[in-house]
């Protein structure tokens, strides 16, 4: 028995198996086996315990077969293999099997060709499939792929092994799936469950956080001063009513208004349009960003998207497109009717109304050192414009494509009712409010027709907080959501309390 | 493939050509270890006896060497020149896919102009794809080539199975298609209503081009409709199909990788032949299982034999010890007389001779042949393990079958070698359930030995101690042993000749050869003398009972379909706990039908069952274990065919309904004496019954193939009866016990994974597209997109695809152990529970709600105000980006809420895709991309993030969108918890308790020190 056991483990002492990393295992086994006849299985268990690494298992399971896998080679297919000797198969260690194994080891290893062929077949199946034409049934492909990869692994191991590749059980052992946490779906995992217990605090916390935030926002929003003046002139009594008819050009009208409270800090002057579909698909795409970026070829040959505002009188339009063509061109001036006999013009700042990146990166005038008019040579102005693009502003830093009014207009609004920043009224000093309470009037050079599409024009003066303009929605929403979640928390608490017992009993009955 | 070199014989010369030039009728030479290039008729081999060995491993997976025989008249042609002289015609049937059937006829013309006609069978046919073994070379005639070969025909024959999930997926898809079309229609109609005022259609600031203006109104409307379709088409989750395929494909690896389903003994792991049905494993309601080889091990052991009513037990097995000389026979009865001795000898010879076993002497055939005595190294190979067990068993009793050589069977009777000439083999088939051989002994006596199932042998016996043997056989059958009866008949020369002509005629028939052969066999195998019976034990597979119990607890009905006889099958059923002690057995068998008419029996049974069923429903809530009335039905093949037989007045459907009704109320059904086709019939019957339950068939043998193919899910056990079942199955597992994990764990996981995947995909596309739809109302129905093209494209492809894919690969809502421990959890997902319309509508409504929140949240944020601290305004792209950002986060966090199993991969992918979105957006808006002709996204995302209210809005909107789902989850869990949720909660409590205890013990121990 002892000798047999020793021989079982012999492969590890086989001179062919000289790879250094394998040695330690081999030695461990050999030591164990040198004892009594019971050892083979013990040795195997050892291997199991130590064999956290799959490669070890796959290499060394073979030489230490358990009684149940004593057959000289694996039964990969449906063979019924019986030893004709006088003992039943699969019942304990069988001496007559040894000669078989011995011979197998000495002689030409009979199994490898067989196995290799099998492998080849598997890989070949799909290619036969190609021949067969329309059989590309997914299953076959699926089936073949993993096996193919397995076979590759197997090859690698053969080479590492170095020993007789036909070692008993080798094939079977190598087919064994790796015992990795991933493959066995046992990756360590956090398993949270949404129960009333975990959710309750969340609801309360949300409530407790959202309500103060909401109140804060609401208060901030309410502190913002805002005045909105519709100067469309639909109302016949309105001073701008006369400008509705297109005959009066230029039409100037004056609208008086009173600020009840003074506007502190920076004040922002907007113009607002209603019923103006800047977000219409045909409108949104009607521009050429390359042209606006100063690209000289696009300047003279604007994108097709600009149609029908692409060329006029055989000259390319710069800037092309419907957006540019319909640029807002009312002029608004604000006068304070103070105590003084004559009204004071409120200084309006033109710069700083467009995004910095738009002004400095996205929009560029055509390159060149010569005057702007030269650089725009060969182009014509948009049809509706009075002046060409290089005459938008005397300030060269605010002229051409980088005119801020133009840039602001070119950022199409999301909704048909929108406002756009027109001018800034900067705070002069800490002592005086920017716009003190009192009488003002707005001097409008009325150019922009909105009546035809039932639009409205407004002028808005607004102060700004950290959260932008006046917007009660956010604050109210925060307060509402906070309260709802707080309320839900309470409801859940009640339910949790009421049903806890019943759910516990239910647990017990399972 | 088409260019493989093939050796042809042309004008007596060997020519090498490409295989695509192969034509029918060409004579081909194949060398050892080569694969046959086409289907060949085997003419001659280098072996003297005209045989060759072939392995068909690549065709059916059986790696055993099969012997094929050359045509008798041509086996003498050994050289190319000889072959060239051959003049013959071959007639054969049209190509058909059955690998094991072939009928044909060869007519060989000799020089003197007389022709000989020979039958050709599958033993003469060498199939393409098979490999020549142990034979130097062979010659053959190509009869089927290319696409007509049996291998090629077999490729196409597989039918597509579709899972229930796929079906509901398609139903959902149709709903979404309707939604898509109606959305587009609504928008088109509204657009034209809205545009009826010209200043809206074409305001001065936004004029059409001339060509647009001149387009026909209807054409315009149609293009608008199509444009809306294109705009909203993202609601159809095209990427879902890709993801589902990917999930199925990758997910199926987890089955093959499963270590617990790997069988050490055979070295086989589970095989996934199709990944389309993974989730169907979680939906199974009926399991149809084969008995032999599936429930039982099919590891046959010769237990005893009964000769002339005297029982012999091989000594060796009795004590489980090995005796040096195998002569130990323990006779239970007193020693037999002289005639008994003679019968005994005959019996053992019969067993030794009546089989189709091949002896595989050794692998190294090239080496020197060993003397026949050293038979120790030889192994028996047979398609039937019973035969091996028997031959192996009598070997222990002193009769060793050595080999078949030159048509002589050699038997080593203790020390002397006896030779019998093998005259005919009447091969086994499952209808006759017996086989016979006709042999001629050395002394010139001709015997017919017949071996078969008792029911097919007893009626043909005229002599012998029938009653005693029948008693013994029945006794053995009750013990669960497999019994075979052996009979013989002595033939005189004239009789033999008559038989020969009969067989020859049948074998030569081109049409209905099978039928004619069967008739001939029927005539030959009669007037037999009964010798005795054998008993072979087929042990239950390990944990078969445990598995069946678990399946029943999971609400799955287990039916056993077997060809075995009733007593054996019933014994097995008791052993594997399919029937329990308190199970009341209802019998619907031929025996009973002889007493009453089918009609009465059926009605009586249904009455019994239904009465109890009424009382059952009342107290059935608490689970199966308390059931007092547990019915088991036993039905046999004959009774079934009566039920299935259509009757003239069409009342058969009535019987069928009644039968189904009975079956439905039985916890277990055993169908015995089933022909393979009947198995499939039963599966079909259940499959098409009005509830349309999902069926699963599991089997290991060729006789189970039909049912495996018929059932929704077919599982093959990689057993010993060849690999046909495994080859035809959707999944193959090494052992029956693995079915438990396959269904309860893998099936359950796959089902919840894929159902979440499907629902989530629809949900996230609703979230994605519904705001787009709403936006049309604010942009004049102009098909303006809300999101940038990049977002539109990447949303499904990269922003939201990976988390759900990984979820659908990794999710485990309950641990695998818990699923195995509590099979009843399987009921939670039964009947496609997670893909019902209610659930689907919930998800869709949730999606709509979320979409409303995103859109109107952003709308009120942007409406007529500024949200930056420097007063600058945002445009439409910022609006879209805000909606998109909120949606991205909501949709991803919704998945996070549903994830119960957070591995690092989930964390990585989920947070990773959010991060990817942010990084991508920063990058996409951070650069003026030179290849784009628009720069609308430039700095949009960054500008948005620079505004405080945008942040606040994002947080608020995400919270609001997720709130209802969280609330629903918590309330459902609290008020109406499902079994799964209870287990989840309990597990969590346990783990919390454990950790608490652990912490407490730690603190206490630290206090001690």
């Amino acid at each position: 028995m002892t000798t047999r056991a020793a021989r079982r483990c012999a492969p590890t002492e086989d001179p062919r198996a000289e790879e250094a990393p394998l040695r330690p295992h081999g030695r461990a086994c050999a030591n164990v086996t040198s004892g009594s006849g019971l050892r083979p299985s013990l040795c195997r268990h050892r291997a199991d315990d130590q064999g956290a690494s799959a490669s070890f298992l796959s290499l060394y399971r073979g030489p230490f077969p358990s009684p149940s896998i004593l057959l000289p080679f694996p039964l990969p297919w449906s063979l019924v293999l019986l030893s004709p000797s006088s003992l039943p198969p699969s019942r304990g260690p069988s001496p007559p099997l040894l000669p078989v194994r011995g011979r197998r080891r000495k002689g030409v290893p009979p199994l490898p060709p067989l196995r290799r062929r099998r492998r080849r077949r598997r890989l070949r199946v799909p290619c036969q499939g190609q021949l067969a034409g329309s059989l590309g049934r997914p299953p076959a492909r699926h089936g073949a792929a993993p096996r193919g990869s397995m076979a590759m692994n197997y090859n690698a191991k053969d080479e590492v092994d170095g020993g007789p590749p036909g070692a008993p059980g080798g094939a079977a052992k190598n087919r064994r799936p790796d015992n990795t946490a991933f493959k066995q779906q046992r990756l360590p995992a956090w398993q949270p469950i949404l129960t009333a217990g975990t959710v309750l605090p969340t609801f309360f916390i949300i409530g407790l956080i959202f309500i103060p935030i909401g109140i804060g926002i609401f208060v901030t929003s309410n502190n913002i001063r805002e005045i909105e003046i519709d100067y469309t002139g639909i109302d016949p009594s309105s001073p701008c009513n006369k400008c509705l008819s297109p005959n009066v050009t230029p039409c100037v009208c004056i609208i008086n208004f009173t600020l009840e409270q003074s506007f502190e800090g920076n004040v922002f002057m907007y113009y607002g349009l209603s019923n103006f579909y800047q977000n219409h698909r045909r409108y949104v795409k009607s521009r050429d960003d390359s042209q606006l970026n100063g690209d000289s070829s696009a300047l003279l040959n604007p994108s097709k998207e600009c149609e029908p505002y692409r060329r006029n009188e055989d000259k390319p339009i710069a800037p092309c497109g419907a957006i540019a063509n319909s640029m807002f061109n009312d002029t608004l001036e604000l006068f304070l009717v103070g105590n003084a006999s004559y009204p004071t013009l409120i200084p309006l700042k033109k710069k700083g109304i467009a995004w910095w990146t738009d002004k400095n990166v996205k929009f560029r005038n055509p390159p060149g050192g010569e005057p702007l008019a030269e650089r725009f040579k060969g182009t014509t102005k948009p049809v509706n414009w009075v002046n060409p693009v290089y005459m938008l502003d005397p300030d060269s830093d605010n002229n051409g494509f980088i005119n801020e009014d133009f840039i602001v207009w070119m950022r199409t609004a999301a909704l048909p009712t929108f406002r756009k920043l027109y001018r800034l009224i900067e705070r002069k000093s800490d002592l005086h409010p920017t716009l003190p309470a009192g009488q003002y009037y707005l001097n409008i050079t009325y150019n922009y027709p909105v009546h035809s599409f039932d639009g409205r024009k407004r002028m808005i003066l607004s102060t700004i907080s950290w959260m932008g303009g006046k917007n009660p929605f956010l604050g109210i929403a925060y307060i509402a959501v906070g309260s709802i979640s707080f309320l839900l928390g309470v409801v859940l608490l009640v339910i949790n309390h009421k049903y806890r017992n019943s759910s516990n009993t239910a647990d017990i009955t399972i | 493939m088409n260019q493989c070199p093939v050796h042809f014989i042309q004008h007596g010369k060997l020519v090498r050509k490409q295989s695509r030039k192969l034509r029918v009728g060409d004579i081909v030479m194949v060398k050892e270890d080569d694969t046959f290039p086409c289907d060949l008729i085997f003419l001659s081999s280098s072996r003297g006896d005209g045989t060759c060995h072939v392995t068909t491993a690549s065709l059916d997976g059986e790696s055993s060497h099969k012997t094929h025989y050359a045509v008798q008249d041509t086996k003498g042609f050994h050289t190319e020149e000889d072959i060239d002289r051959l003049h013959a015609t071959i007639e054969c049937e049209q190509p058909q896919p059955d690998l094991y059937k072939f009928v044909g006829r060869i007519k060989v013309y000799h020089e003197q102009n007389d022709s000989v006609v020979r039958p050709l069978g599958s033993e003469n046919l060498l199939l393409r794809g098979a490999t020549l073994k142990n034979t130097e070379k062979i010659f053959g005639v190509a009869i089927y080539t290319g696409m007509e070969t049996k291998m090629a025909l077999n490729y196409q024959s597989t039918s597509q199975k579709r899972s229930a999930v796929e079906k509901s997926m398609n139903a959902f898809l149709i709903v979404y298609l309707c939604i898509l079309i109606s959305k587009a229609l609504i928008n088109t109609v509204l657009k034209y209503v809205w545009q009826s005022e010209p200043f809206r259609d074409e305001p001065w600031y936004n004029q059409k081009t001339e060509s647009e203006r001149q387009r026909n109104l209807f054409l315009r409307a149609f293009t608008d409709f199509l444009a809306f379709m294109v705009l909203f088409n993202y609601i159809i989750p095209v990427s879902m199909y890709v993801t589902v395929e990917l999930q199925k494909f990758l997910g199926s690896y987890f089955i093959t990788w499963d270590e617990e389903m790997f069988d050490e003994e055979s070295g086989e792991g589970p095989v996934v032949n199709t990944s389309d049905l993974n989730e169907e494993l979680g939906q199974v309601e009926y399991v149809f299982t084969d008995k032999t080889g599936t429930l039982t091990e099919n590891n046959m052991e010769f237990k005893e034999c009964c000769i002339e009513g005297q029982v012999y037990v091989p000594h060796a097995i009795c004590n489980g010890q090995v005796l040096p000389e195998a002569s130990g026979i323990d006779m239970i009865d007193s020693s037999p007389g002289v005639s008994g001795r003679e019968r005994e000898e005959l019996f053992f010879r019969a067993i030794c001779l009546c089989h189709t076993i091949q002896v595989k002497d050794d692998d190294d055939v090239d080496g020197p042949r060993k003397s026949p005595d050293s038979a120790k190294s030889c192994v028996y190979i047979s398609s039937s393990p019973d035969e091996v067990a028997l031959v192996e068993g009598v070997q222990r009793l002193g009769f060793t079958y050595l080999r078949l050589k030159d048509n002589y069977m050699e038997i080593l009777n203790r020390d002397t070698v006896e030779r019998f000439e093998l005259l005919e083999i009447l091969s086994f088939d499952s209808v006759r359930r017996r086989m016979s051989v006709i042999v001629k002994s050395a002394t010139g006596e001709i015997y017919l030995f017949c071996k078969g199932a008792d029911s097919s042998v007893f009626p043909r016996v005229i002599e012998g101690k029938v009653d005693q043997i029948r008693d013994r056989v029945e006794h053995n059958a009750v013990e669960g042993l497999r019994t075979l009866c052996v009979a013989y008949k002595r033939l005189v020369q004239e009789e033999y000749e008559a038989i020969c002509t009969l067989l020859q005629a049948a074998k030569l028939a081109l049409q209905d050869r099978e039928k004619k052969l069967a008739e001939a066999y029927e005539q030959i195998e009669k007037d037999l003398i009964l010798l005795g019976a054998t008993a072979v034990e087929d042990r239950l597979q390990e944990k078969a009972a445990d598995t069946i119990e678990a399946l029943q607890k999971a609400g799955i009905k287990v039916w056993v379909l077997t060809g075995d006889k009733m007593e054996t099958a019933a014994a097995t059923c008791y052993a594997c706990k399919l029937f329990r002690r308190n199970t009341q057995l209802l019998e619907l068998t031929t025996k009973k039908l002889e007493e009453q008419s089918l009609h009465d029996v059926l009605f009586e049974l249904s009455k019994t069952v239904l009465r109890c069923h009424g009382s059952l429903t009342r107290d059935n809530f608490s689970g199966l274990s308390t059931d007092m009335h547990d019915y088991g039905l036993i039905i046999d093949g004959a009774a079934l065919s009566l039920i299935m037989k259509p009757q003239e007045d069409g009342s058969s459907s009535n019987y069928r309904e009644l039968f189904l009704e009975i079956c439905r109320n039985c916890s277990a059904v055993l169908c015995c004496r089933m022909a393979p086709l009947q198995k499939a019939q039963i599966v079909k019957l259940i499959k098409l019954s009005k509830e349309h339950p999902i069926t699963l068939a599991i089997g290991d043998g060729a006789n189970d193939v039909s049912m495996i193919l018929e059932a929704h899910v077919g599982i093959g056990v990689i057993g010993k009866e060849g690999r046909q079942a495994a080859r035809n199955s959707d999944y193959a597992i090494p052992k029956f016990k693995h079915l438990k994990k396959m269904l309860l764990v893998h099936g359950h996981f796959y089902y919840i994974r894929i159902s979440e995947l499907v629902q989530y995909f629809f949900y996230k596309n609703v979230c994605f597209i519904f705001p787009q739809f709403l936006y049309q109302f604010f942009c004049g129905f102009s098909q303006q997109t809300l999101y940038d093209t990049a977002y539109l494209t990447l949303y499904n492809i990269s922003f939201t695809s990976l988390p759900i894919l990984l979820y659908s690969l990794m999710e485990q809502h309950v641990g695998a152990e818990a699923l195995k421990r509590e099979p009843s959890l399987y009921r939670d997902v039964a009947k496609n529970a997670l893909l019902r319309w209610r659930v689907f509508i919930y998800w869709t409504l949730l999606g709509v709600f979320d979409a409303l929140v995103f859109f109107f949240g952003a709308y009120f944020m942007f409406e007529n105000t500024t949200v930056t601290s420097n007063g600058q305004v945002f445009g439409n792209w910022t609006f879209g980006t805000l909606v998109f950002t909120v949606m991205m986060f909501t949709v991803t966090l919704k998945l996070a809420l549903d994830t119960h199993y957070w591995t690092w991969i989930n964390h990585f992918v989920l947070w990773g895709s959010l991060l990817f979105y942010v990084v991508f957006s920063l990058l996409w808006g951070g650069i003026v991309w030179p290849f784009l002709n628009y720069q609308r996204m430039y700095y949009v995302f960054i500008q948005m993030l620079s505004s405080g209210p945008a942040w606040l809005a994002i947080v608020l909107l995400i919270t609001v969108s997720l709130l209802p789902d969280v609330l629903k989850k918590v309330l459902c869990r609290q008020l109406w918890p499902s079994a799964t949720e209870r287990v989840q909660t309990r597990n969590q409590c346990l783990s919390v308790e454990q950790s608490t205890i652990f912490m407490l013990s730690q603190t206490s121990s630290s206090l001690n020190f």
Side-chain angles (χ1 to χ4, degrees), chain A residues 76-77 80 82 84 86 117 121 131 139 142 176 184-185 187 190 270 277 279 281 289 354 412 414 469 478, chain B residues 2 58 133 205 257 259 264 268 273 275 375-376 378-380 388 753 775 782 871-872 876 901-902 935 952:
Chain A
W77 311 105
V80 177
L82 290 177
S86 54
R117 196 156 305 121
R121 162 184 78 84
L131 177 81
H142 296 174
R176 191 188 170 81
Q184 302 306 321
Q185 308 196 56
L187 281 178
W190 173 52
Y270 297 91
Y277 285 84
N279 58 6
R281 187 168 62 98
D289 277 336
T412 48
Y478 259 93
Chain B
N2 282 337
S58 58
K133 287 282 169 190
Y205 56 84
W257 282 337
E259 208 188 11
E264 289 284 350
E268 295 279 355
N273 291 329
S275 53
K376 283 205 160 86
C378 76
V379 278
Y380 295 127
V388 176
R753 286 170 186 173
Y775 191 56
S782 62
Q872 292 168 356
N876 62 326
Y901 196 76
W902 285 88
Q935 305 295 339
L952 286 173

Side-chain angles (χ1 to χ4, degrees), chain B residues 36 41 126 148 211 238 328 355 392 408 451 520 530-531 542 562 585 639 646 659 685 753 759 806 893 898 916 955 1009:
Chain B
F36 299 116
I41 289 292
L126 302 171
E148 290 181 343
S211 60
V238 181
H355 57 70
E392 208 259 340
Y408 279 94
K451 182 179 78 177
L530 190 65
L531 273 173
E542 57 174 325
T562 177
L585 288 189
F659 172 63
L685 183 74
R753 286 170 186 173
Q759 302 280 26
L806 263 294
L893 290 177
D898 287 350
F916 173 71
V955 171
F1009 285 113

Side-chain angles (χ1 to χ4, degrees), chain B residues 385-627:
Chain B
D386 294 61
E387 286 186 341
V388 176
L390 286 175
V391 173
E392 208 259 340
V394 292
Q395 185 178 44
R396 257 177 263 142
L397 303 178
F399 288 81
T400 311
Y401 171 62
L402 288 178
R403 59 181 162 158
L404 175 70
K405 193 183 173 194
D406 303 334
N407 239 0
Y408 279 94
M409 293 176 112
E410 292 177 3
I411 292 178
L412 184 69
N413 183 1
R414 300 199 176 91
D415 298 321
T416 55
V417 176
E418 295 175 15
R419 286 160 63 92
F420 290 87
E421 189 185 356
L422 180 62
L423 298 173
E424 292 288 346
I425 293 180
L426 285 63
S427 55
F428 180 85
D429 66 60
S430 52
V431 181
R432 258 165 64 238
R433 300 169 61 81
R434 60 177 181 267
M435 71 161 291
S436 305
V437 288
I438 299 174
V439 292
K440 192 179 195 175
S441 73
T443 53
E445 288 167 311
I446 302 174
Y447 289 102
L448 179 144
F449 291 115
C450 177
K451 182 179 78 177
D454 52 351
S455 62
S456 55
V457 172
F458 280 134
R460 329 199 134 254
V461 163
I462 48 162
E463 203 189 313
K465 298 186 174 166
V466 177
D467 293 331
Q468 281 160 297
I469 292 174
R470 191 192 295 260
D471 282 349
R472 192 67 202 168
V473 164
E474 272 170 16
H475 171 254
N476 283 340
V478 169
E479 304 242 301
L481 301 177
R482 293 163 69 90
T483 55
L484 283 175
C485 291
V486 180
Y488 83 106
K489 165 159 97 164
R490 199 165 299 187
L491 301 170
V492 290
Q493 189 65 31
E494 294 83 56
E495 278 177 301
Y496 170 66
E497 274 159 18
I499 286 172
C500 261
T501 46
L502 197 64
L503 281 179
Q504 204 61 23
K507 277 185 187 169
L508 276 182
L510 258 189
Q511 277 163 356
D512 295 334
R513 183 188 283 178
E514 315 285 308
K515 206 176 131 201
K516 283 184 183 151
L517 267 181
E519 281 166 9
Y521 289 164
E522 196 81 1
Q523 279 185 43
I524 296 165
E525 293 166 331
K526 61 180 183 190
D527 306 333
L528 304 172
I529 303 163
L530 190 65
L531 273 173
T534 59
V536 172
E537 190 189 17
D538 189 5
R539 264 174 301 158
L540 272 188
Q541 283 206 358
E542 57 174 325
K543 289 189 183 163
D546 174 55
T547 307
I548 286 197
E549 212 176 352
L551 293 184
Q552 284 190 328
K553 269 191 197 151
I556 301 172
K557 292 195 171 164
V558 182
W559 290 31
V560 175
L561 310 182
T562 177
D564 234 329
K565 65 180 100 25
M566 192 183 122
E567 292 79 12
T568 322
T572 316
C573 286
Y574 273 112
C576 63
K577 292 192 184 159
L578 185 66
F579 296 154
R580 262 160 272 196
R581 200 149 292 168
N582 57 359
T583 307
Q584 193 182 337
L585 288 189
L586 310 171
E587 285 185 22
L588 190 61
T589 54
T590 337
K591 211 190 282 174
K592 205 162 177 191
L593 288 180
E594 279 164 10
E595 297 157 18
Q596 285 169 294
S597 74
L598 176 67
H599 186 84
D600 296 341
V601 177
L602 273 178
F603 272 94
E604 195 181 300
L605 287 182
S606 70
K607 230 185 285 169
T608 346
V609 170
L610 288 179
R611 193 179 58 231
C612 293
H613 185 66
S615 63
L616 211 90
T617 40
R618 259 177 272 135
D619 50 18
N620 199 20
F621 274 103
S622 44
L624 258 191
S625 50
T626 53
D627 282 359

Side-chain angles (χ1 to χ4, degrees), chain B residues 90-93 102-106 118-121 507-510 513:
Chain B
I90 294 176
E91 289 174 64
C92 56
E93 58 185 354
F102 172 73
V103 279
R105 177 155 71 180
I106 184 167
R118 292 280 170 186
L120 297 175
K507 277 185 187 169
L508 276 182
L510 258 189
R513 183 188 283 178

Side-chain angles (χ1 to χ4, degrees), chain B residues 15 200 202 334 370 521 553 619 661 715 722 726 734-735 749 814 833 863 899:
Chain B
V15 185
R200 283 194 178 138
E202 203 178 350
S334 57
K370 293 176 297 296
Y521 289 164
K553 269 191 197 151
D619 50 18
E661 190 66 39
I715 293 195
K735 284 275 164 69
F749 279 162
V814 185
E863 196 203 20
T899 307

Side-chain angles (χ1 to χ4, degrees), chain B residues 187-220:
Chain B
N187 269 331
T188 316
V189 170
L190 284 178
K191 175 174 178 146
Y192 282 88
V193 171
W194 187 79
Q195 281 184 355
S196 56
E197 290 182 64
F199 69 80
R200 283 194 178 138
D201 184 23
E202 203 178 350
W204 64 264
Y205 56 84
N206 187 14
Q207 305 213 314
K208 295 176 184 173
T209 56
E210 207 53 40
S211 60
E212 273 175 324
R213 243 175 255 154
Q214 274 157 10
R215 214 176 285 161
N216 179 312
L217 175 72
F218 291 102
L219 198 67
R220 244 188 303 160

Side-chain angles (χ1 to χ4, degrees), chain B residues 681-810:
Chain B
Q681 247 179 350
I682 287 227
V683 174
K684 197 169 184 179
L685 183 74
I686 297 296
K687 200 168 109 179
L688 298 179
S689 69
K690 62 174 182 281
E691 293 102 341
H692 296 289
I694 308 293
T695 54
L696 177 145
I698 176 169
D700 74 322
N703 58 343
D704 306 314
V705 169
S706 55
M707 101 176 155
I708 285 174
L709 290 178
E710 181 65 46
H712 290 103
V713 187
I715 293 195
V717 174
I718 309 171
K720 297 190 172 146
E721 286 184 17
R723 289 179 73 94
Q724 280 191 60
R727 195 161 51 92
N728 284 297
S729 63
D730 303 313
Y731 301 89
I733 51 177
K735 284 275 164 69
F736 182 72
K737 66 172 177 185
H738 297 135
L739 189 65
K740 181 177 169 186
K741 189 161 191 205
M742 193 91 168
L743 295 186
L744 298 186
V745 180
H746 286 296
H748 198 149
F749 279 162
Y750 283 127
Y751 180 70
I752 56 154
R753 286 170 186 173
I754 200 133
S755 55
E756 171 87 9
L757 173 75
V758 170
Q759 302 280 26
Y760 180 76
F761 253 96
F762 283 111
Y763 161 80
K764 83 180 166 83
N765 281 296
V766 170
C767 286
F768 183 45
I769 281 311
F770 206 69
Q772 185 90 262
F773 171 72
L774 294 172
Y775 191 56
Q776 297 309 308
F777 289 83
F778 299 92
C779 70
F781 306 99
S782 62
Q783 302 113 25
Q784 173 58 34
T785 58
L786 185 54
Y787 320 114
D788 179 50
T789 325
Y791 289 151
L792 279 175
T793 318
L794 292 180
Y795 176 70
N796 273 326
I797 295 172
S798 44
F799 292 152
T800 56
S801 61
L802 272 187
I804 182 63
L805 179 64
L806 263 294
Y807 169 93
S808 66
L809 289 174
M810 315 292 294

Side-chain angles (χ1 to χ4, degrees), chain A residues 6 21 92 99 139 149 324 352 358 374 382 390 458 470 476 491:
Chain A
S149 65
D358 280 3
E374 283 297 307
Y390 46 85
R458 289 159 297 143
K470 201 180 184 78
I476 294 171
V491 171

